Amino acid sequence: MNPDETRALLDPLVDRYERPAFVEDDPISAVWAFDDPADQEVIGLYAAVLAWGRRSVILAKLAELVDRMGGRPHRFVRDFGAARHDRLDGFKHRTFSSADAVALTASVRAVLEARGSLGALFASGLRDDADIGPAIQHFSDTLLTIVPEAGVRSKHLARPSTGSACKRLSMYARWMTRPGPVDLGLWPDVRPDQLVIPLDVHTGTQARRLGLLTRRYDDWRAVQELTDVCRALDPADPARYDFALFGLGAYGGDEIDA
């Protein structure tokens, strides 16, 4: 398909899926449950990290985590210390254990103390002429090392340098950067044109079926290839096509990742 034909196919799908109704059964619903941007930003990271598997299970686990945080994610993290570790005892989602929850929370707390917000950390890794790849790398590297004794496992914080597609952190950046009605637009220092497509099995399968992606593997090179195609369709907001590709492959099903 040529670009005009591709837009004619994908733009109506974006309009169909990028609506408030999309939020209800998606992990981003845990973010919209809060009014305070500080809470939204913090729980958004946990929601992205835990966005793996069946939607119903993800949402239940996020509700459990919020309850363990006393309904105040930002305050819980800012006040986190050894005395509060027991609040996370027994929490588990797939390979993300209670030890992972403690380690990530300790590291996020250190970032908030040092930078003021997760968005400030993310933006500090941006390069003007690049997509968000360097920012994801810097974001993950910092969380992995800012509290060395915390022991955050790299499997939960992907990095482009390893070849990972970094789907969850790309999705988190989309949530925090783009305006609504689905995304929240909380990070003014990140531009929508810098975002990349959050690539998973569903978006990759549909992109290849439509001839938008030639690379066989769902890795960072594939993310850049697909995003370049989407950027040619909409230079200001390539990530909007995530709604079309994800919707084609998975919306209405019960799996959001592989």
Side-chain angles (χ1 to χ4, degrees):
M1 289 187 291
N2 63 42
D4 288 340
E5 292 172 331
T6 304
R7 286 192 202 91
L9 171 65
L10 297 183
D11 283 356
L13 290 170
V14 174
D15 293 340
R16 177 180 177 183
Y17 294 119
E18 192 181 13
R19 296 185 176 187
F22 183 95
V23 170
E24 182 177 355
D25 296 321
D26 191 80
I28 201 174
S29 63
V31 187
W32 277 109
F34 294 91
D35 296 323
D36 187 336
D39 284 324
Q40 292 173 329
E41 181 190 58
V42 167
I43 199 61
L45 176 60
Y46 290 88
V49 169
L50 296 179
W52 178 22
R54 296 177 68 87
R55 293 184 186 185
S56 58
V57 175
I58 295 167
L59 295 179
K61 285 297 179 179
L62 286 170
E64 177 189 342
L65 182 60
V66 168
D67 184 62
R68 288 170 176 266
M69 291 177 165
R72 301 290 298 275
H74 183 263
R75 175 177 289 183
F76 178 82
V77 172
R78 287 301 300 263
D79 295 344
F80 192 67
R84 307 200 77 183
H85 287 193
D86 64 328
R87 297 291 296 273
L88 299 175
D89 284 351
F91 182 80
K92 180 177 175 60
H93 175 58
R94 297 177 77 100
T95 66
F96 189 86
S97 67
S98 57
D100 292 318
V102 168
L104 180 60
T105 303
S107 295
V108 172
R109 178 180 182 269
V111 167
L112 295 181
E113 289 186 342
R115 296 283 187 167
S117 71
L118 292 168
L121 171 63
F122 194 92
S124 70
L126 290 170
R127 299 176 186 168
D128 288 341
D129 59 347
D131 58 33
I132 60 170
I136 291 176
Q137 183 75 36
H138 179 63
F139 188 84
S140 289
D141 284 344
T142 301
L143 284 168
L144 289 168
T145 60
I146 194 168
V147 185
E149 65 273 20
V152 177
R153 291 194 289 169
S154 59
K155 67 185 297 181
H156 298 303
L157 291 167
R159 292 160 292 162
S161 64
T162 68
S164 171
C166 302
K167 183 255 181 169
R168 294 172 185 82
L169 290 180
S170 298
M171 181 176 66
Y172 177 53
R174 197 206 80 200
W175 290 352
M176 296 294 110
T177 300
R178 295 184 69 254
V182 175
D183 300 320
L184 292 100
L186 300 181
W187 288 355
D189 294 328
V190 185
R191 303 191 311 268
D193 66 276
Q194 295 173 298
L195 296 173
V196 298
I197 298 293
L199 180 63
D200 65 8
V201 65
H202 300 298
T203 54
T205 296
Q206 296 305 317
R208 293 181 183 94
R209 184 176 68 84
L210 296 172
L212 307 178
L213 178 60
T214 61
R215 186 164 175 77
R216 293 175 57 192
Y217 306 105
D218 292 335
D219 58 10
W220 188 252
R221 288 174 60 186
V223 169
Q224 293 184 306
E225 178 187 341
L226 179 56
T227 301
D228 284 346
V229 170
C230 292
R231 188 172 287 116
L233 301 176
D234 189 339
D237 189 12
R240 68 190 292 263
Y241 290 107
D242 182 33
F243 289 98
L245 295 171
F246 176 79
L248 274 174
Y251 192 78
D254 200 35
E255 291 285 335
I256 71 164
D257 202 358

